[in-house]
Amino acid sequence: MSSNISISAAQLSRLVGLPDAPVIIDVRIPEDIAADPRLLPNADQRSHKDVADWADAYTGRRVVVSCQRGLKLSEGVAAWLRHHGVAAENLAGGFEAWREGGGLLVSSERLPPRDAKGRTLWVTRTRPKVDRIACPWLIRRFVDREAVFLFVSPSEVADVADRFGATPFDIDGVFWSHRDERCTFDVMIEEFGLASPALDRLAGIVRAADTATLDSTPQAAGLLAASLGLSRMFRDDLAQLNAGMLLYDAFYRWCRDASEETHNWPVGPATS
Protein backbone atom coordinates (compact mmCIF):
# COMPACT_ATOMS: atom_id res chain seq x y z
CA MET A 1 0.00 0.00 0.00
CA SER A 2 1.31 3.44 -0.91
CA SER A 3 2.03 5.95 1.84
CA ASN A 4 1.85 9.70 1.99
CA ILE A 5 5.12 9.77 3.96
CA SER A 6 7.25 7.59 1.69
CA ILE A 7 8.32 7.41 -1.93
CA SER A 8 9.56 4.37 -3.83
CA ALA A 9 12.92 4.15 -5.56
CA ALA A 10 11.12 3.87 -8.92
CA GLN A 11 9.12 7.03 -8.23
CA LEU A 12 12.18 8.98 -7.12
CA SER A 13 14.18 7.86 -10.15
CA ARG A 14 11.66 9.63 -12.41
CA LEU A 15 12.35 12.91 -10.59
CA VAL A 16 16.15 12.80 -10.41
CA GLY A 17 17.82 15.13 -12.90
CA LEU A 18 14.80 17.38 -13.32
CA PRO A 19 14.90 21.07 -12.34
CA ASP A 20 12.24 20.56 -9.66
CA ALA A 21 13.69 17.34 -8.26
CA PRO A 22 13.39 16.98 -4.49
CA VAL A 23 16.40 17.47 -2.24
CA ILE A 24 17.78 14.07 -1.22
CA ILE A 25 19.24 13.86 2.29
CA ASP A 26 21.48 10.89 3.07
CA VAL A 27 21.43 10.07 6.80
CA ARG A 28 23.31 6.77 6.66
CA ILE A 29 25.64 6.10 9.57
CA PRO A 30 29.42 6.27 8.94
CA GLU A 31 29.79 2.48 8.86
CA ASP A 32 27.27 2.15 6.05
CA ILE A 33 28.86 5.00 4.08
CA ALA A 34 32.28 3.38 4.45
CA ALA A 35 30.89 0.12 3.04
CA ASP A 36 29.58 1.93 -0.06
CA PRO A 37 30.57 5.61 -0.25
CA ARG A 38 28.59 6.31 -3.40
CA LEU A 39 25.80 8.86 -3.13
CA LEU A 40 22.33 9.26 -4.54
CA PRO A 41 22.36 12.10 -7.10
CA ASN A 42 22.76 15.52 -5.48
CA ALA A 43 22.42 14.04 -2.00
CA ASP A 44 23.24 16.10 1.07
CA GLN A 45 24.94 14.06 3.78
CA ARG A 46 23.57 14.85 7.24
CA SER A 47 23.51 13.22 10.65
CA HIS A 48 20.23 12.18 12.22
CA LYS A 49 21.65 13.19 15.60
CA ASP A 50 21.32 16.95 15.03
CA VAL A 51 18.33 17.08 12.69
CA ALA A 52 16.62 19.68 14.89
CA ASP A 53 19.56 22.02 14.28
CA TRP A 54 19.58 21.80 10.46
CA ALA A 55 15.93 21.11 9.61
CA ASP A 56 15.06 24.77 8.98
CA ALA A 57 17.64 24.91 6.17
CA TYR A 58 15.17 22.95 4.03
CA THR A 59 12.14 25.14 4.55
CA GLY A 60 10.17 25.51 1.32
CA ARG A 61 11.81 22.50 -0.34
CA ARG A 62 10.49 19.05 -1.09
CA VAL A 63 12.80 16.55 0.59
CA VAL A 64 13.40 12.80 0.38
CA VAL A 65 15.35 11.24 3.25
CA SER A 66 17.38 8.07 2.75
CA CYS A 67 19.15 5.83 5.25
CA GLN A 68 20.55 2.37 4.62
CA ARG A 69 17.26 0.44 4.60
CA GLY A 70 14.59 3.12 4.84
CA LEU A 71 13.71 2.34 8.45
CA LYS A 72 14.15 4.17 11.73
CA LEU A 73 16.74 6.80 10.78
CA SER A 74 15.08 8.12 7.64
CA GLU A 75 11.59 7.70 9.08
CA GLY A 76 12.60 9.69 12.15
CA VAL A 77 14.44 12.42 10.24
CA ALA A 78 11.55 12.83 7.78
CA ALA A 79 9.15 13.13 10.70
CA TRP A 80 11.34 15.78 12.31
CA LEU A 81 11.46 17.70 9.04
CA ARG A 82 7.68 17.60 8.73
CA HIS A 83 7.52 18.92 12.30
CA HIS A 84 9.51 21.91 11.01
CA GLY A 85 7.06 22.41 8.13
CA VAL A 86 9.21 20.72 5.48
CA ALA A 87 7.50 18.51 2.88
CA ALA A 88 9.56 15.40 3.62
CA GLU A 89 9.23 11.78 2.53
CA ASN A 90 11.15 8.64 3.40
CA LEU A 91 12.80 6.65 0.60
CA ALA A 92 11.18 3.22 0.93
CA GLY A 93 13.88 0.58 1.25
CA GLY A 94 16.54 3.28 1.54
CA PHE A 95 19.93 3.17 -0.12
CA GLU A 96 19.76 -0.59 -0.58
CA ALA A 97 16.49 -0.43 -2.54
CA TRP A 98 17.87 2.37 -4.70
CA ARG A 99 21.07 0.46 -5.44
CA GLU A 100 19.31 -2.84 -6.10
CA GLY A 101 16.87 -1.08 -8.42
CA GLY A 102 19.72 0.23 -10.58
CA GLY A 103 19.35 3.86 -9.53
CA LEU A 104 22.13 6.29 -10.44
CA LEU A 105 24.85 6.56 -7.81
CA VAL A 106 27.54 9.24 -7.83
CA SER A 107 31.12 8.16 -7.22
CA SER A 108 32.09 10.26 -4.20
CA GLU A 109 35.82 9.69 -4.68
CA ARG A 110 35.75 12.06 -7.66
CA LEU A 111 33.95 14.86 -5.84
CA PRO A 112 36.13 17.97 -5.51
CA PRO A 113 36.59 19.53 -2.07
CA ARG A 114 33.70 21.67 -0.87
CA ASP A 115 33.90 25.22 0.41
CA ALA A 116 32.78 26.45 3.83
CA LYS A 117 29.17 26.48 2.60
CA GLY A 118 29.35 22.91 1.35
CA ARG A 119 29.56 23.78 -2.37
CA THR A 120 31.92 22.49 -5.00
CA LEU A 121 33.74 25.27 -6.86
CA TRP A 122 34.68 25.02 -10.54
CA VAL A 123 36.53 27.29 -12.96
CA THR A 124 36.78 27.36 -16.74
CA ARG A 125 37.24 29.67 -19.72
CA THR A 126 34.91 32.54 -20.53
CA ARG A 127 32.43 32.63 -23.40
CA PRO A 128 31.09 29.07 -23.12
CA LYS A 129 29.44 27.37 -26.07
CA VAL A 130 28.65 23.66 -25.59
CA ASP A 131 30.81 21.65 -23.17
CA ARG A 132 31.18 24.51 -20.69
CA ILE A 133 27.38 24.73 -20.37
CA ALA A 134 26.71 20.99 -20.59
CA CYS A 135 29.12 20.15 -17.77
CA PRO A 136 27.69 22.66 -15.27
CA TRP A 137 24.21 21.36 -16.14
CA LEU A 138 25.31 17.79 -15.39
CA ILE A 139 26.94 18.82 -12.11
CA ARG A 140 24.00 20.85 -10.85
CA ARG A 141 21.39 18.27 -11.83
CA PHE A 142 23.21 15.12 -10.65
CA VAL A 143 26.24 15.95 -8.49
CA ASP A 144 25.95 19.23 -6.58
CA ARG A 145 22.91 21.44 -7.10
CA GLU A 146 24.66 24.36 -5.33
CA ALA A 147 27.89 24.15 -7.35
CA VAL A 148 29.58 27.48 -8.16
CA PHE A 149 31.09 28.14 -11.60
CA LEU A 150 33.70 30.80 -12.33
CA PHE A 151 34.33 31.93 -15.91
CA VAL A 152 37.71 33.64 -16.35
CA SER A 153 40.23 34.46 -19.07
CA PRO A 154 41.75 31.26 -20.53
CA SER A 155 45.23 32.28 -19.46
CA GLU A 156 44.10 32.71 -15.85
CA VAL A 157 42.17 29.47 -15.28
CA ALA A 158 45.09 27.61 -13.67
CA ASP A 159 46.03 30.47 -11.34
CA VAL A 160 42.43 31.14 -10.33
CA ALA A 161 42.01 27.45 -9.59
CA ASP A 162 45.10 27.56 -7.38
CA ARG A 163 44.31 30.79 -5.54
CA PHE A 164 40.61 30.13 -4.96
CA GLY A 165 40.61 26.36 -4.46
CA ALA A 166 38.51 25.79 -7.58
CA THR A 167 38.53 22.73 -9.83
CA PRO A 168 39.45 23.57 -13.45
CA PHE A 169 37.53 21.92 -16.28
CA ASP A 170 37.38 21.91 -20.09
CA ILE A 171 40.85 23.29 -20.55
CA ASP A 172 44.05 21.59 -21.73
CA GLY A 173 46.19 19.73 -19.24
CA VAL A 174 43.65 19.11 -16.46
CA PHE A 175 41.81 16.01 -15.25
CA TRP A 176 38.35 17.21 -16.24
CA SER A 177 38.88 17.75 -19.94
CA HIS A 178 38.71 16.07 -23.35
CA ARG A 179 40.20 12.59 -23.68
CA ASP A 180 40.83 11.31 -27.18
CA GLU A 181 37.52 11.68 -29.05
CA ARG A 182 35.49 12.21 -25.88
CA CYS A 183 34.56 15.65 -24.65
CA THR A 184 34.55 16.79 -21.01
CA PHE A 185 30.86 15.94 -20.65
CA ASP A 186 31.69 12.31 -21.54
CA VAL A 187 34.50 12.27 -19.00
CA MET A 188 32.28 13.57 -16.20
CA ILE A 189 29.60 10.97 -16.88
CA GLU A 190 32.24 8.24 -16.74
CA GLU A 191 34.17 9.48 -13.70
CA PHE A 192 31.07 10.23 -11.63
CA GLY A 193 29.55 6.86 -12.55
CA LEU A 194 26.48 8.42 -14.16
CA ALA A 195 26.17 6.21 -17.24
CA SER A 196 22.52 5.67 -18.15
CA PRO A 197 20.59 5.37 -21.41
CA ALA A 198 19.33 8.97 -21.30
CA LEU A 199 22.63 10.58 -20.29
CA ASP A 200 24.60 8.41 -22.72
CA ARG A 201 22.32 9.52 -25.53
CA LEU A 202 22.68 13.15 -24.49
CA ALA A 203 26.46 12.69 -24.34
CA GLY A 204 26.45 11.62 -27.98
CA ILE A 205 24.65 14.82 -28.94
CA VAL A 206 26.96 17.01 -26.84
CA ARG A 207 30.08 15.31 -28.20
CA ALA A 208 29.01 15.76 -31.80
CA ALA A 209 28.11 19.43 -31.25
CA ASP A 210 31.30 20.17 -29.31
CA THR A 211 33.74 18.41 -31.65
CA ALA A 212 32.35 19.45 -35.05
CA THR A 213 31.15 15.93 -35.93
CA LEU A 214 27.56 16.96 -36.59
CA ASP A 215 26.90 14.22 -39.13
CA SER A 216 27.21 11.55 -36.43
CA THR A 217 24.10 12.61 -34.49
CA PRO A 218 21.09 14.36 -36.10
CA GLN A 219 20.24 16.42 -33.00
CA ALA A 220 23.75 17.86 -32.65
CA ALA A 221 23.26 20.58 -35.24
CA GLY A 222 20.24 21.88 -33.37
CA LEU A 223 22.09 21.88 -30.05
CA LEU A 224 25.03 23.72 -31.60
CA ALA A 225 22.78 26.31 -33.25
CA ALA A 226 20.91 26.96 -30.00
CA SER A 227 24.18 27.13 -28.04
CA LEU A 228 25.74 29.63 -30.43
CA GLY A 229 22.56 31.67 -30.39
CA LEU A 230 22.64 31.82 -26.59
CA SER A 231 26.27 32.92 -26.67
CA ARG A 232 25.23 35.88 -28.86
CA MET A 233 22.25 36.73 -26.68
CA PHE A 234 24.14 37.03 -23.39
CA ARG A 235 27.30 38.97 -22.61
CA ASP A 236 27.27 37.62 -19.06
CA ASP A 237 28.44 34.00 -18.93
CA LEU A 238 26.42 33.22 -15.79
CA ALA A 239 23.26 34.56 -17.41
CA GLN A 240 24.01 32.38 -20.40
CA LEU A 241 24.51 29.39 -18.09
CA ASN A 242 21.17 30.00 -16.42
CA ALA A 243 19.45 30.14 -19.81
CA GLY A 244 21.36 27.09 -21.03
CA MET A 245 20.16 25.00 -18.08
CA LEU A 246 16.66 25.00 -19.59
CA LEU A 247 18.06 23.99 -22.96
CA TYR A 248 19.78 20.95 -21.50
CA ASP A 249 16.75 20.13 -19.37
CA ALA A 250 14.75 19.92 -22.60
CA PHE A 251 17.33 17.78 -24.41
CA TYR A 252 17.58 15.46 -21.40
CA ARG A 253 13.82 14.96 -21.27
CA TRP A 254 13.81 14.27 -25.00
CA CYS A 255 16.56 11.69 -24.55
CA ARG A 256 14.76 10.10 -21.62
CA ASP A 257 11.10 10.26 -22.60
CA ALA A 258 10.42 11.58 -26.10
CA SER A 259 12.98 10.26 -28.57
CA GLU A 260 10.42 7.94 -30.21
CA GLU A 261 7.74 10.61 -30.59
CA THR A 262 7.18 12.17 -34.02
CA HIS A 263 5.35 15.27 -35.16
CA ASN A 264 3.84 15.55 -38.61
CA TRP A 265 1.98 18.18 -40.60
CA PRO A 266 -0.57 18.36 -42.02
CA VAL A 267 -2.64 16.26 -39.68
CA GLY A 268 -4.58 13.41 -41.22
CA PRO A 269 -8.24 13.68 -42.11
CA ALA A 270 -10.72 13.34 -39.28
CA THR A 271 -12.16 9.89 -38.85
CA SER A 272 -15.85 9.34 -38.39
Side-chain angles (χ1 to χ4, degrees):
M1 181 179 296
S2 62
S3 169
N4 64 346
I5 62 171
S6 67
I7 184 171
S8 71
Q11 290 171 323
L12 180 59
S13 68
R14 297 295 296 173
L15 302 176
V16 164
L18 305 185
D20 56 351
V23 177
I24 299 174
I25 302 178
D26 182 347
V27 295
R28 288 178 294 161
I29 61 175
E31 292 82 358
D32 289 331
I33 295 173
D36 191 339
R38 294 177 298 173
L39 302 170
L40 272 69
N42 269 346
D44 292 348
Q45 289 186 295
R46 296 279 193 172
S47 172
H48 69 282
K49 296 178 181 179
D50 56 354
V51 57
D53 296 330
W54 52 259
D56 287 338
Y58 295 93
T59 300
R61 302 296 302 270
R62 180 184 177 186
V63 169
V64 173
V65 185
S66 173
C67 63
Q68 186 68 9
R69 298 181 180 86
L71 299 175
K72 55 184 177 294
L73 294 187
S74 53
E75 284 266 9
V77 168
W80 259 110
L81 290 170
R82 291 193 295 273
H83 173 72
H84 282 259
V86 178
E89 299 168 288
N90 169 55
L91 176 60
F95 181 87
E96 291 184 357
W98 181 265
R99 181 178 59 195
E100 291 166 6
L104 287 175
L105 287 167
V106 179
S107 177
S108 59
E109 66 182 13
R110 291 304 186 193
L111 286 172
R114 297 179 183 269
D115 67 7
K117 294 185 178 181
R119 307 167 298 185
T120 57
L121 177 60
W122 304 78
V123 61
T124 190
R125 298 168 287 142
T126 56
R127 307 311 302 141
K129 300 297 186 294
V130 180
D131 226 359
R132 282 166 287 152
I133 298 293
C135 291
W137 173 85
L138 183 74
I139 291 167
R140 283 187 174 169
R141 291 292 183 255
F142 294 92
V143 179
D144 175 15
R145 67 181 179 279
E146 302 297 338
V148 174
F149 296 94
L150 307 178
F151 295 94
V152 303
S153 301
S155 61
E156 301 304 314
V157 171
D159 285 342
V160 169
D162 179 61
R163 295 295 180 91
F164 292 87
T167 299
F169 71 99
D170 202 47
I171 193 167
D172 289 341
V174 302
F175 180 82
W176 299 105
S177 192
H178 287 227
R179 297 179 189 173
D180 299 323
E181 296 180 353
R182 296 175 298 161
C183 65
T184 310
F185 189 78
D186 289 303
V187 171
M188 287 192 172
I189 287 176
E190 176 185 355
E191 295 291 346
F192 284 126
L194 291 172
S196 67
L199 285 175
D200 291 347
R201 185 164 196 164
L202 180 56
I205 299 171
V206 172
R207 185 186 321 119
D210 194 57
T211 61
T213 55
L214 300 181
D215 291 341
S216 65
T217 307
Q219 297 77 26
L223 175 60
L224 179 60
S227 300
L228 295 177
L230 286 175
S231 74
R232 300 302 191 275
M233 291 170 62
F234 296 96
R235 294 186 62 188
D236 184 288
D237 294 335
L238 293 176
Q240 182 187 338
L241 172 58
N242 290 336
M245 293 291 288
L246 181 61
L247 177 65
Y248 281 91
D249 286 336
F251 269 86
Y252 175 67
R253 286 304 299 270
W254 179 84
C255 290
R256 199 189 79 172
D257 302 322
S259 61
E260 301 303 319
E261 184 176 338
T262 60
H263 183 74
N264 296 316
W265 186 263
V267 295
T271 58
S272 58

